[in-house]
Amino acid sequence: MSIVYKEKEEQFHLHTRNTSYIIEVLEGRYPVHAYWGRKLRFTDRTGLVDLREVCSFSPNPLDSNKTLSFDTMPREYPDYGRSDYQSPALSITDSSGSHLIDPVYDSFRIEEGRSLPQGMPGCRLTADDGCDTLVLTLRDSILDLYIDLYYSVSEEYDVIIRRTEIRNCGNKPVTLNKVLSSTVDFYGDSDFEVMNLYGAWTRERQVSRIPIGRSGHLVDSKRGASSHEQNPFLALLRPETDEFSGDVYSMSLVYSGSFMAEAAVNSYGKTRMQIGLQEIDFQWQLEPSGSFTTPEALLVFSPDGLNGMSGIYHRLFRERLCPAPWSKRERPVLMNNWEATYFDFNEEKIKALIDEGHSLGMELFVLDDGWFGRRDSDASGLGDWFTNLQKLPGGLKSLSDYAHRKGMQFGLWFEPEMISPDSDLYRSHPDWCLHVPGRYRSEGRNQLVLDMGRQEIQDYLYGSIAAILSENGIDYVKWDMNRNITEAGSAALPSERQKETSHRYILGLYSLMDRLVNEFPEILFESCSGGGGRFDPGMLYYMPQTWTSDNTDSYERLFIQWGTSYLYPPVTMGAHVSEVPNHQVKRITPIETRGNAAMSANLGYELDLMKLLPEEREKVAKQVEFYKKIRRTIQFGDFIRLLPPSSDRGTAWMTVSDDGAEVLVFYFGHLLRPNDLGCRLKLRSLDTDRLYMTEDGEKYYGSELMYAGISLPPLDCDFDSRLIRLQAI
Ligand code: DGJ
């Protein structure tokens, strides 16, 4: 049993394969956080948290016990206003205008398996995954408000999944101002560094790691999307933790909108780590009998460094977050026309690209932006989801038939959540976009954002997209989203509910995606938001892969894919070979290196194939052929980071197939250095006594590869790279 209730001690012990998490109820009232970390055994002992009386500046909530103050107490779900001066997990306003709440322990239940938060994505773990759920209920007796803390614990997947549900059983409405999904207090423990993934458009998920110090670290998005700027993830590491050893405590939020994550140490050395919905962008009117559910937070502890943490997320995301039909299904090598043509294409050009892609072994052609409405630039057409017959006189069907006849799949780009002011849709429904009456409607890329919380808008999008998908034999959809949210007001909500607009937007988006992916389970959906502006677990629940970044430069991609890999497995990352000079940074890198960077994830090509030189053509054909041989390992093997892009020796990572029989090592040199001896790269996770053979017939024992390392000769040119395939014999 992964959850044990110790009645006498009033403790809940949660155990995964490698982790324990312990909650104790103090004085029969206050659930406190006693422990999270390596799996351990306890004697039958109460008082796991040794509280002491402190000064009058830390007031006491009970007369009977002066050692109790929320200021020092490691709380399982902190509120605000009664001596807890750190960031609360919960903030409300009741009908009298007061924000006070006193949630005390009420009851608990343990359920087999788990249920997902209503209308939201989550991990599809069941009792068969050794998953049980503890629901710990707190209650404020004055408001008759219940707070259910959900903890799903999976032995097999080594994860604890938390979410919070608030139920209003009183007879007056309550306003929720902040409701986080998960919060953990580390009592008397502040020896941490804080890690998060930050960035911007075309430079997503860079790694930040800094000492926690004695102040707060806020990682958040207020953009109505999880964002390019911050990923919904936060980790606390011990200072000595590296890629291979040391403790990591992490939280990842299964949500695609504005969020916040925070780590802060208080004056008593208590570290609070939290994650959940962004507070500034949120409020919820909870009527009597109503309930509100937060998104879920995934809590992963690893004693085996950052690769240990990533391994847990990778398997969980691949097997229990992404849609089940795609958990083991190989992804096709695709060809996308965006950087090849931008908006400037016609039927003839597209057919020529299909021909060329097909002759090079590509398996899926993706027609990007510009095929619909009057869309010849980014200034018009979004919302008008009908084929532009001026550009494509034979319609989409003739193109998809053309690809299908060659044995290629055919995919299509959409940007469903947007509306161009210059569109038929906007002319008929000017109130369908997010806006505040009387105020300026800020455009981004000449477009406004649809109010996705409204049912009629979801229905319009469902109807038009479903018709195109079913009438035209579409095999793949790229779901884009190219601006962040402003003026988040809804014409359909009363004034007291306006601050619900952003969260309702995400719930509406989830509902629409849910309908479409269930209606078309055979279609491969790839999410995108100007590249990786919404690379988050929420999107992955519906769409099993994401376009990692609009930056296709193979050197920049090392940083982006390295950072992305902390949480997301290679099979979730779209990676394309593009032309040089690169369109984003003008850099010239070898075609081999562009291939190796893209082959580290889901390989695609996004360049004008007609312009390839004969020798490049040959190399591309070979890359595609080789990738098909190794893609099972790339897409479903265990990915391990070896050398970070910040290292002056180059960047390296490797993947080991699930049976251990194939090992792929990627090494990317950066700049050529004179008088260089090359690099010795030590591999990981091999079988010490097994013999491995390279493609050239060179044999090595696993111990040799791991402890002595493999020798890599000096680079031949700037941005040179190597891909070594080893097979166990
Ligand atoms: C942004 C995407 O990230 C690109 O790949 C491309 O699809 C454009 N949008 C099209 O407008």
Side-chain angles (χ1 to χ4, degrees):
M1 192 67 176
S2 51
I3 300 170
V4 179
Y5 173 56
K6 296 197 167 193
E7 192 174 353
K8 192 161 56 73
E9 296 85 6
E10 290 205 275
Q11 288 166 6
F12 299 90
H13 290 229
L14 281 45
H15 299 293
T16 71
R17 190 149 32 96
N18 293 308
T19 307
S20 298
Y21 184 111
I22 297 167
I23 303 160
E24 184 170 42
V25 180
L26 288 187
E27 304 274 340
R29 290 175 73 88
Y30 303 120
V32 295
H33 181 76
Y35 178 78
W36 181 27
R38 279 173 198 258
K39 195 162 187 163
L40 38 84
R41 284 181 71 184
F42 266 114
T43 51
D44 296 338
R45 204 156 59 77
T46 52
L48 296 177
V49 178
D50 184 16
L51 294 171
R52 284 168 222 284
E53 186 173 347
V54 288
C55 65
S56 63
F57 289 88
S58 295
N60 317 108
L62 286 185
D63 267 354
S64 53
N65 184 346
K66 297 293 181 196
T67 70
L68 292 187
S69 167
F70 295 133
D71 208 6
T72 52
M73 191 188 283
R75 305 182 71 201
E76 206 44 35
Y77 203 71
D79 55 87
Y80 174 71
R82 297 173 313 122
S83 83
D84 188 324
Y85 300 106
Q86 287 186 279
S87 286
L90 178 67
S91 157
I92 60 127
T93 308
D94 70 18
S95 55
S96 76
S98 162
H99 61 247
L100 286 186
I101 180 166
D102 184 15
V104 299
Y105 174 66
D106 177 79
S107 58
F108 78 94
R109 60 180 199 273
I110 296 174
E111 297 169 351
E112 256 203 8
R114 69 183 312 249
S115 55
L116 294 187
Q118 178 85 36
M120 270 188 277
C123 288
R124 307 164 212 259
L125 291 163
T126 65
D128 292 342
D129 300 313
C131 180
D132 297 309
T133 301
L134 166 68
V135 186
L136 204 62
T137 298
L138 319 182
R139 176 172 177 257
D140 179 279
S141 58
I142 293 182
L143 301 175
D144 211 5
L145 196 71
Y146 286 81
I147 299 156
D148 297 322
L149 306 179
Y150 282 75
Y151 303 79
S152 294
V153 183
S154 168
E155 188 99 25
E156 173 62 26
Y157 282 85
D158 224 351
V159 63
I160 297 174
I161 304 177
R162 287 190 59 176
R163 71 179 158 93
T164 305
E165 193 166 320
I166 313 284
R167 290 179 285 128
N168 185 359
C169 296
N171 50 20
K172 301 223 171 79
V174 169
T175 303
L176 306 177
N177 305 314
K178 179 180 184 184
V179 196
L180 295 186
S181 302
S182 169
T183 164
V184 172
D185 279 4
F186 296 85
Y187 184 63
D189 189 354
S190 56
D191 189 20
F192 291 118
E193 294 187 354
V194 187
M195 176 184 166
N196 58 290
L197 301 171
Y198 72 99
W201 175 70
T202 60
R203 42 188 170 83
E204 300 90 337
R205 290 169 298 286
Q206 310 290 311
V207 182
S208 162
R209 178 175 172 171
I210 49 171
I212 195 163
R214 286 276 164 163
S215 57
H217 297 255
L218 177 66
V219 170
D220 76 341
S221 162
K222 303 180 186 77
R223 295 172 171 268
S226 51
S227 84
H228 299 90
E229 281 69 12
Q230 295 287 352
N231 205 253
F233 158 79
L234 185 72
L236 294 180
L237 327 174
R238 298 298 178 194
E240 67 277 9
T241 295
D242 62 18
E243 288 292 344
F244 307 104
S245 65
D247 291 351
V248 185
Y249 299 84
S250 68
M251 292 183 183
S252 155
L253 191 69
V254 187
Y255 192 63
S256 311
S258 301
F259 73 93
M260 59 190 293
E262 203 175 349
V265 182
N266 78 354
S267 337
Y268 298 100
K270 171 159 66 85
T271 304
R272 177 165 293 170
M273 180 188 195
Q274 314 185 296
I275 201 162
L277 294 171
Q278 166 66 246
E279 63 184 318
I280 199 158
D281 207 13
F282 172 80
Q283 209 166 55
W284 202 268
Q285 299 298 311
L286 200 58
E287 297 299 328
S289 309
S291 68
F292 178 84
T293 303
T294 69
E296 59 186 44
L298 312 175
L299 275 64
V300 168
F301 166 78
S302 159
D304 302 319
L306 286 159
N307 272 309
M309 173 195 79
S310 304
I312 296 171
Y313 281 117
H314 286 192
R315 185 165 164 243
L316 182 68
F317 287 3
R318 261 194 331 251
E319 297 178 7
R320 293 291 181 272
L321 178 70
C322 291
W326 295 97
S327 70
K328 295 239 158 29
R329 208 190 285 183
E330 287 182 13
R331 308 301 160 81
V333 178
L334 70 79
M335 153 76 213
N336 176 304
N337 73 306
W338 179 242
E339 286 198 15
T341 65
Y342 295 105
F343 291 103
D344 181 21
F345 62 82
N346 55 28
E347 206 165 283
E348 204 186 321
K349 250 194 202 175
I350 295 300
K351 284 188 173 159
L353 283 171
I354 293 177
D355 290 342
E356 199 59 8
H358 174 250
S359 70
L360 291 167
M362 295 163 198
E363 301 161 306
L364 159 68
F365 181 85
V366 181
L367 181 57
D368 211 279
D369 196 354
W371 58 267
F372 54 91
R374 277 175 291 282
R375 180 98 168 152
D376 293 318
S377 73
D378 62 16
S380 61
L382 291 171
D384 296 343
W385 298 111
F386 48 83
T387 313
N388 181 329
L389 293 173
Q390 259 143 16
K391 265 188 194 172
L392 306 172
L396 287 173
K397 185 73 171 47
S398 82
L399 280 180
S400 87
D401 286 348
Y402 188 77
H404 290 156
R405 275 197 297 277
K406 291 180 178 285
M408 266 180 113
Q409 296 182 313
F410 186 76
L412 211 51
W413 179 97
F414 288 90
E415 194 176 357
E417 301 152 67
M418 298 292 150
I419 181 165
S420 304
D422 182 5
S423 65
D424 293 348
L425 187 68
Y426 191 74
R427 284 182 277 276
S428 343
H429 298 287
D431 70 324
W432 272 20
C433 65
L434 294 174
H435 68 281
V436 175
R439 295 208 181 259
Y440 182 69
R441 301 177 180 192
S442 307
E443 292 177 20
R445 208 194 189 204
N446 309 305
Q447 61 203 50
L448 297 168
V449 184
L450 285 169
D451 183 359
M452 294 298 294
R454 288 171 66 173
Q455 190 61 50
E456 68 273 40
I457 297 179
Q458 293 167 35
D459 291 345
Y460 165 76
L461 291 170
Y462 176 80
S464 32
I465 295 171
I468 287 172
L469 301 184
S470 54
E471 287 161 16
N472 296 293
I474 304 300
D475 304 295
Y476 161 105
V477 166
K478 179 174 172 187
W479 183 293
D480 207 347
M481 193 270 197
N482 280 302
R483 59 158 292 179
N484 287 142
I485 284 169
T486 52
E487 295 95 29
S490 170
L493 292 175
S495 56
E496 68 279 12
R497 290 195 179 271
Q498 284 298 318
K499 281 188 82 178
E500 298 179 11
T501 306
S502 295
H503 184 52
R504 287 183 184 275
Y505 176 100
I506 297 294
L507 295 178
L509 168 67
Y510 286 156
S511 164
L512 173 63
M513 293 194 295
D514 200 51
R515 277 165 88 184
L516 284 165
V517 301
N518 285 320
E519 180 67 25
F520 299 97
E522 286 307 310
I523 292 184
L524 172 59
F525 285 83
E526 175 158 345
S527 82
C528 170
S529 174
R534 231 172 22 188
F535 204 137
D536 61 61
M539 293 305 287
L540 285 177
Y541 173 84
Y542 304 96
M543 306 191 173
Q545 55 191 62
T546 301
W547 175 225
T548 313
S549 176
D550 274 351
N551 191 334
T552 56
D553 170 62
S554 61
Y555 175 65
E556 290 288 325
R557 269 296 181 121
L558 300 179
F559 292 84
I560 296 168
Q561 291 176 200
W562 177 276
T564 305
S565 79
Y566 279 101
L567 285 151
Y568 308 100
V571 72
T572 61
M573 296 185 215
H576 299 174
V577 173
S578 62
E579 75 174 27
V580 287
N582 172 267
H583 290 196
Q584 292 77 41
V585 295
K586 313 269 178 276
R587 186 176 284 121
I588 297 183
T589 55
I591 185 87
E592 289 83 354
T593 298
R594 282 176 274 152
N596 287 341
M599 279 198 264
S600 304
N602 293 336
L603 175 66
Y605 288 80
E606 187 167 337
L607 73 175
D608 190 347
L609 298 175
M610 312 304 179
K611 289 197 202 144
L612 288 176
L613 301 171
E615 63 269 25
E616 286 175 330
R617 240 191 136 264
E618 206 176 301
K619 285 177 184 170
V620 166
K622 282 211 174 111
Q623 282 172 352
V624 174
E625 194 189 339
F626 186 64
Y627 184 74
K628 287 178 187 169
K629 290 191 197 142
I630 59 167
R631 77 173 138 195
R632 249 230 93 75
T633 299
I634 297 287
Q635 297 178 356
F636 304 104
D638 292 333
F639 177 88
I640 303 159
R641 288 175 301 276
L642 297 173
L643 271 185
S646 55
S647 126
D648 59 4
R649 294 163 60 211
T651 304
W653 49 61
M654 62 182 281
T655 304
V656 184
S657 61
D658 48 9
D659 60 0
E662 183 170 64
V663 180
L664 300 163
V665 184
F666 292 83
Y667 172 74
F668 302 88
H670 301 155
L671 294 180
L672 195 70
R673 286 192 304 189
N675 207 4
D676 190 17
L677 286 183
C679 162
R680 262 196 108 70
L681 189 65
K682 292 182 180 157
L683 307 189
R684 295 277 173 161
S685 289
L686 303 183
D687 189 337
T688 44
D689 295 324
R690 215 161 167 183
L691 258 187
Y692 296 86
M693 190 165 77
T694 64
E695 299 257 283
D696 302 331
E698 206 72 58
K699 290 183 194 141
Y700 301 87
Y701 276 109
S703 54
E704 196 182 344
L705 292 166
M706 291 198 293
Y707 309 140
I710 192 163
S711 176
L712 298 166
L715 310 182
D716 286 334
C717 60
D718 286 349
F719 309 112
D720 199 3
S721 64
R722 309 268 182 271
L723 165 49
I724 302 162
R725 183 187 193 195
L726 294 149
Q727 275 164 314
I729 48 174

